[in-house]
Structure formats: C-alpha cells, structure tokens
Amino acid sequence: MAIPKGKKAEIMDEIKGNVSKTEAGTIGYIVGGGLKANLQARLTVPPQQIQEGAFVVVESGGWLFYGLVTDLQLGSTDPRFADEGGQARLSPQLAQLLHGQTLYTNIEIMSALMMEQGPEPGEPGYDAWFQQVMDEQIRPEPVKTVPQHHAEVRLARAGDIAEIFGKESKAGFFQIGDTLEGQHPVCINLDKLVQRSAGIFGATGSGKSFLARVILAGLINHGKTSVLIFDMHNEYGPDDTASDTGARVPGLKGKFPARVRMVGLGRGATIRGKQPDFNLEIAEADIMPEDILMLSQELNLRETTPTTLEALKASFQNNWFHAFKNMRAHAYVEDENGKPVPAPDSVEAWAIQAGVHSSAAEALHSKLRRLFNASYIVEEPAGNALQQMIDHLDHGQHIVLSFGTHESDLDYLFVSNLLTRRIRQVWERRTNDFRSGRQGAEEPRQLVIVVEEAHKLLNREMAAQTTFSTIAREMRKYYVTLLIIDQRPSQIYDEVMSQLGTRITGWLGDADDISAVLTGLAGRDALRGMLARLQPKEEVLMLGWGVPMPIVVHSRRYDDAFWEAVIGKGVRRSNAEILDELGF
Amino acid sequence: MNEIEFGRLLRSGTTGFVVGCRVNQLDAPSFGSLVRVPLEDGYQVYGVIYDIHIEDDGLVRQLITAEDLPEEVLQDNRENRNVPVEIGVMAVGYEKDSRVYHLLPPRPPLSLDSIYLCSPSEIVRFTGAGFGYFRHLLRDRDKPVEELLAAHLMAARSAHIAAENPGWFQAALEELTAALRDDYPRMMCFLGAAGEIDV
C-alpha cells in the first residue's frame, strides 16, 4: 500500500525537526454523500474531539481528498433509542454498547481538493515523484469524484497542510495562522494574494486591524510589492495602543523604519506628535470635476451639479477650482440706474455668462465650502509630494498616508480617491509603455492600495464613480490591486465583491454581511454557519481564489514573538533553504 | 472426556431437533445450553436448547384431581412415566474433520441418536470460532430469542473466563447490539435480559 503523501511530508518534517506532537489518527469512515451534497462520515471518536471547520483528509483508491468539517449531526438507528433515555435503566457497560451502534455522530465534510497518493519512500519512482511535488508539477486539483464507502477519515497532519497551503520556508509564503486541530501552520501565498484585489472583513472588535497588520507586515517583509495605506485612524504607521487591552501595539513605521514612509496630510501635520517623512498638499489644479461628483452623497449635491461643473471646467480649464473658490456668493453692485446687479466676481455673474442656472451654481458654491476651507488644498503646494510618493513606491518603499486631524469622511473620500486616480494613471501609462515595448520601459512594480472603511468608497452609489471599483474590476492588468478592510461587506457593491480574489474574514454577525462575503463562492451554505460561529479575535476564515480551499485558521498573534519571527527570519530561513537544496 | 449423555433424538430436521429424556436425566440440560449429537466419524451436529417441555398424560390428569396423594405415588409418576420430557434444540452448526462450521448441518441426526451436553472446552471451541452461529439464534422470532441469548451468553461466558478469555463476552455483546441495532424492541429486550447476567 502506498503511504499517504501527508506521511511523506511528515517524514520530511521529522528530518527538519519540526514534527508535530499531536498526530492525528482515524476519526471515522465515509457513509454517504456526494459531489453536490457534502460527504457524510460516521465518527468513531467522541464528537467533542472534532470541531466545525476541522481540516480532514479522506484516503481512498490511491487518492487523498481534502475537506472541511461543516456540520456534526447526532443520529440514531431508531429515534426511540435517542428519545427514551433507556440507558438510565441499563448498566454503564451495556449503555455504552448503544453508543456507536444505535446512537452515533455523523460529520458533514465539504470536500474541496483531491490529490493522487504517490509511491512509498524507497520504492522505485519515489524520488522522481517527490521532486515533482516540490516543483509543483503534481498539485492538488478540484474534487471531481468521491471517495468509496467506508474510506477512512482522519484529521490533517502538518504535512497535508503544507502540501495544500505551502510552507513558510518557501519564498512568498507567509504563515497567517494555525489549524484549529493540531495547530499546524497555515500559509498564504503573498504573490497570489496581491495578484487580485483582496478583502479583510470582520465586525468591529473581531481582530480585523490586527490581522491586517500581520498581513501588511508579511507583504512589506516579502519586499516584492509596494504598499500604499490610507490610514484613516492612524492605526498602521505609528505605534498604537490597543483599544481593548491597553497594550502597546507596534506600528509598521517603527518596525520597518527604512522601508515605510509616513506621509501627513496638510502642511505642518504631525502624526501622534511626530513629524512625518513628508507632507502632502493637494494642488487646486489637480482637482477634477469627477473628484467632486464622487462626493455627491457626502456633500448632498444636486442633479444639476455635473452641468455646473462642466461649465466651470469649460470656462476656466484646470484652474476651475481656484476660480470658483474665489468667486463671491450673493454679491451685488448697483448699475448706472442704481439697480442691484451681480458683481463681476460673483458666482451669479459667471453663471449668467456661462449659461448656467445661477441658483444651482450658488448652491454648489456653498456646498463646496467645506472643500474650499480644507487646509490641505492649496494653490501652490510646497513640494511635489505626489511625485515623491510615486517615486518612493517605485523604489520598493511603502507609504502610510496619515489623515491626522482631517478625519472626516469627506477628507478621506476626497483625498484617497484623488490620489488613487493619479497613481493609477501613472501605473496605467507605464504598463502601456511596458507592454508596447517602448525602449527603456520597465515592468511596473506591483502596488497594493490598502483601503479602510472601504464601503464608503465602494458602495453601490459610489462604485460607478470611484477609481477603486475600476481597480477592483480590472484585477492586476495595471499592476495595481486593492486590499479592502471593512466591517460592512454588505454595503460594498456586489460587482466589486465578486471580483475579490482572496477574502479573509473574522466573525460577522449580520446575515447580509455573511452573504456578501460569500458572494460567488461554492459551498456558501456550509460556510455560512461556520462564519457566524467564528471565535472573535481568534479565528478567521480564509476563502476565495487566492487560497487553495476555504479553511478556518487560528490567526497569528500580533505580538513580540510575531515580530521576532518576521524580522529575525533571515537566519532561520537559511537553514530551511539548505535542506531544500539537499532535496528535502 | 467426561461425556454427559442426557437423551435420544425424537424428531429431527435441518434447523433443529427434539430430544426425549427421562425426568431423572433432566438435571443435566438447561435452557441455553450448547449440545452436540455425534454422528459418523468426525461429523457432529451442534445445537442450543431453546425449549424444555413436559407433556401431560391421562394418569397425571387424574392424579391432579385426587386428594391426599401419597408421596410414593407422586415420585413413581414422575420417574416412571411413559411420556418423555421433550427438549427442543436449535441447530447452530456442525463439525466435520475437526473443523467447526457455523452453518446448518448438511444432514440432520437420526432418531434415537444420543445427545450430549458440551463440556466447557467444547463450548469454548465452538463459540470461539466467531459469532456466525448468532444468525441461527436470531432467526426464529417465535422463540424467546433474547432470553435464549442471555442464557447462552451466561453459560458461554463462564466457560471463556475459565479458559482465560474474558474478552469474549464483551465482543459477543457488541456483535449482538450491532445485529439488533435496527430493532428497538428486540434490542431493549435483549439488553434487559443481558443486564441480568452478573457482570
């Protein structure tokens, strides 16, 4: 009999000295189910030993089937065995006989992947086979058949998990947590994660921000991708204090001082009392009518706004914002007859001249006052901060844009959208240059834009107007993807949600939010219950295109041990690499 | 070997047979006992006693109604009566060329063949060859199967304990609960009976 591949990986682990202490034996056998419905297995161990979300392996006919436990059901051959509690009348020895025979537990397994079992170590062909697995020529494939009746079911071993989710010793793989049973490390492929837009979801207090910090630390440490973080609440860049425990939470800037640049919004802005690396000011000439239209909801703009903006652009070109800002509202002068007429520098005078309804123009002028008063919008910025940001991102640095005192939704929406539009234009131009083979054009660096409170930018009403939804839809065409962090996924436009490659979600209570996270995925019903029963702050469900199969993980703690493992990893990794070179 | 013969065959068939014996032979066999009928060389049929039956006759009917029955008359009628005690045996297997089969015997024993009670070592030998013979015990629903099983288990258990095989009883219980798991009334009836066995 060929030994399961998991076993081989274990042997490998043993050689590397990280063999698991809790090895899993058989927990049951297959009794029914199918491809469309989930598989059913009879448990041969007490149900308390298995939890929902457990990662299990079924061995059958030379194949390994990998799946998740999605349900546990108590059953009896006759309901009377369960109903009548006859066991009280029987001796414990006889009552025990009923368990397992007439009273039993079935588990439901959502099988996701299958992989052929290879030859045994020492058998001819083993070495060649093993090399193929290492080179990913033999890979798990989507499940297309079912295991036989009575096929053995066991909990996954460290080797099984490594075969499916990869090992941290391999470049680009980053440990995101451990399995619920056995605490085997589960990794995520960072290169795949950034290929499409991704989302981190979870209700308030479910550990979203910590998880985001863990992933961002992984991305920054990996060094293949540049990251731009719109840090609305100053959570990611500077050191922070946890809202619940009061413990000190190290920021990314503190841990990667040379790789992370802090940018403050507005002249003289400080971030938690510290000077940012540089400040960002927005030139009035950079503001386009579409940047204003995007704020329709926030500013309560009327339907006439687009016409008025168009007329402004036509009258003043790129200088429209400055010109409009300097117009006076309700300003009148007397004509030669002593009759009040609109002053030449008034909104009304321009409206009459441009053929725009004057009250519409005045209403817009008054509604834009909040932007006119924004201190970070200036006529002549002190430096070209935008270009500076792009240069840093180009050089593999990462930007944390801190909003400082400008914490209102208006500032966040306006600045993040405007910047993203500009950055995407640059990346689009470079991509086109690169693709068309223009001389000297280099492949643009992969960029991930991290957006918090994403539903404000990607809701149904806004999705059509913001650059973010364009980025989410076109995937990695222009080397820019999003990392969305949000607590209300149901508020995000479904078309955007369905484009998210990887979704990592903590506990969600709202049924709509749960449905939204599962949009466009197979096995939704089975995953729905699992999502509602995740332990807040501890467990997350990973699913979507970027992970081989859905899995519940006990997420990695964001603590000193984490940082030690991430930053001090160079030394340890080299050992693993040496072993890799030796063929293990 | 100390062989206990306790009667001869009255009637016989593939699935079972009826043995006749005198009342003074009746202290040997009991409900649930394993018995054997040796036939030609190397072939013997095994059975389990499921019924012990005492028929009346005309004299007993008369004596029942008589007053002040003397003790000698009572004893005489019991020991020297013409009607034999009838013992029903269910066929559960056979032995041929030193191999035990838990199948129905190819040929039933003939009338007036002698019948013997199995010794503990014979019980261990037959019941230790697997639990296939439970099929025959469970088949006939007109008989008090659960009681029969309990009586048989009790006898076989002490034989196995003496043979230093205490695990047999638990294995037999598990086999029977598996066989009865779809039948609630019979299962509860069996467990009730098995509960009487002094564990």
Side-chain angles (χ1 to χ4, degrees), chain A residues 191 194 219-220 222-227 396 398 445-448:
Chain A
D191 294 326
V194 299
L219 277 175
I220 291 173
H222 181 41
K224 289 272 174 69
T225 310
S226 293
V227 181
H398 311 277
R445 196 180 169 85
Q446 180 73 40
L447 173 66
V448 174

Side-chain angles (χ1 to χ4, degrees), chain A residues 129-440:
Chain A
W129 174 86
F130 194 73
Q131 194 51 46
Q132 281 181 311
V133 174
M134 285 294 102
D135 298 344
E136 294 194 2
Q137 286 171 16
I138 297 177
R139 265 191 284 194
E141 48 191 278
V143 68
K144 289 199 177 67
T145 179
V146 290
Q148 288 168 350
H149 272 106
H150 299 172
E152 280 191 357
V153 182
R154 61 172 169 81
L155 287 174
R157 304 179 183 125
D160 298 311
I161 308 279
E163 277 162 17
I164 300 288
F165 292 95
K167 277 203 302 270
E168 214 181 8
S169 56
K170 223 173 140 192
F173 284 83
F174 175 69
Q175 186 188 342
I176 197 151
D178 304 308
T179 54
L180 298 186
E181 264 93 12
Q183 279 79 52
H184 305 309
V186 178
C187 294
I188 191 162
N189 184 342
L190 291 174
D191 294 326
K192 205 169 177 185
L193 176 77
V194 299
Q195 267 178 33
R196 294 194 188 182
S197 292
I200 298 174
F201 304 107
T204 313
S206 62
K208 231 178 19 263
S209 311
F210 284 97
L211 185 64
R213 284 188 186 103
V214 166
I215 292 174
L216 289 171
L219 277 175
I220 291 173
N221 191 52
H222 181 41
K224 289 272 174 69
T225 310
S226 293
V227 181
L228 167 61
I229 304 169
F230 290 116
D231 192 2
M232 190 174 179
H233 305 301
N234 296 329
E235 280 179 310
Y236 297 104
D239 292 351
D240 200 0
T241 305
S243 53
D244 45 0
T245 58
R248 191 183 146 275
V249 181
L252 296 172
K253 174 71 182 169
K255 292 292 177 181
F256 296 106
R259 292 200 233 174
V260 173
R261 290 275 164 265
M262 296 283 293
V263 180
L265 182 62
R267 187 171 302 174
T270 55
I271 303 161
R272 304 245 155 129
K274 286 189 182 156
Q275 280 292 321
D277 292 311
F278 54 94
N279 292 87
L280 172 73
E281 286 174 313
I282 290 168
E284 288 172 345
D286 281 342
I287 301 171
M288 295 289 127
E290 52 262 41
D291 297 324
I292 305 297
L293 281 178
M294 204 212 44
L295 303 169
S296 295
Q297 213 179 2
E298 193 60 35
L299 293 174
N300 195 18
L301 300 181
R302 291 193 199 159
E303 289 139 15
T304 51
T305 306
T307 325
T308 316
L309 287 172
E310 225 163 275
L312 279 167
K313 185 91 198 304
S315 306
F316 306 104
Q317 285 79 44
N318 281 352
N319 202 29
W320 72 270
F321 189 85
H322 182 71
F324 196 43
K325 182 180 170 182
N326 291 333
M327 286 180 196
R328 289 189 298 148
H330 308 292
Y332 295 94
V333 289
E334 285 183 1
D335 65 1
E336 55 268 27
N337 305 325
K339 209 173 141 193
V341 290
D345 60 344
S346 72
V347 176
E348 204 176 344
W350 167 78
I352 292 164
Q353 183 215 329
V356 178
H357 200 285
S358 61
S359 63
E362 278 186 343
L364 179 63
H365 190 267
S366 108
K367 282 175 176 169
L368 288 186
R369 192 160 302 281
R370 283 172 71 193
L371 279 185
F372 295 152
N373 292 338
S375 61
Y376 53 84
I377 302 176
V378 293
E379 193 182 357
E380 292 281 330
N384 195 346
L386 186 63
Q387 188 55 46
Q388 227 174 326
M389 282 171 72
I390 291 171
D391 289 345
H392 280 302
L393 292 172
D394 257 350
H395 290 105
Q397 304 246 308
H398 311 277
I399 304 277
V400 180
L401 176 61
S402 170
F403 283 77
T405 51
H406 306 282
E407 266 197 319
S408 75
D409 284 356
L410 179 81
D411 300 319
Y412 183 62
L413 296 182
F414 177 72
V415 174
S416 60
N417 193 55
L418 187 136
L419 281 183
T420 307
R421 184 168 55 75
R422 292 293 301 272
I423 287 171
R424 189 184 159 279
Q425 278 168 0
V426 174
W427 254 256
E428 190 176 341
R429 197 177 59 238
R430 289 180 184 177
T431 308
N432 289 336
D433 287 351
F434 172 66
R435 294 255 160 88
S436 62
R438 177 185 284 200
Q439 194 142 26

Side-chain angles (χ1 to χ4, degrees), chain B residues 138-151:
Chain B
L138 289 165
R139 186 181 303 119
D140 195 342
R141 299 195 175 208
D142 296 335
K143 299 185 173 95
V145 171
E146 296 80 17
E147 301 300 319
L148 176 63
L149 285 166

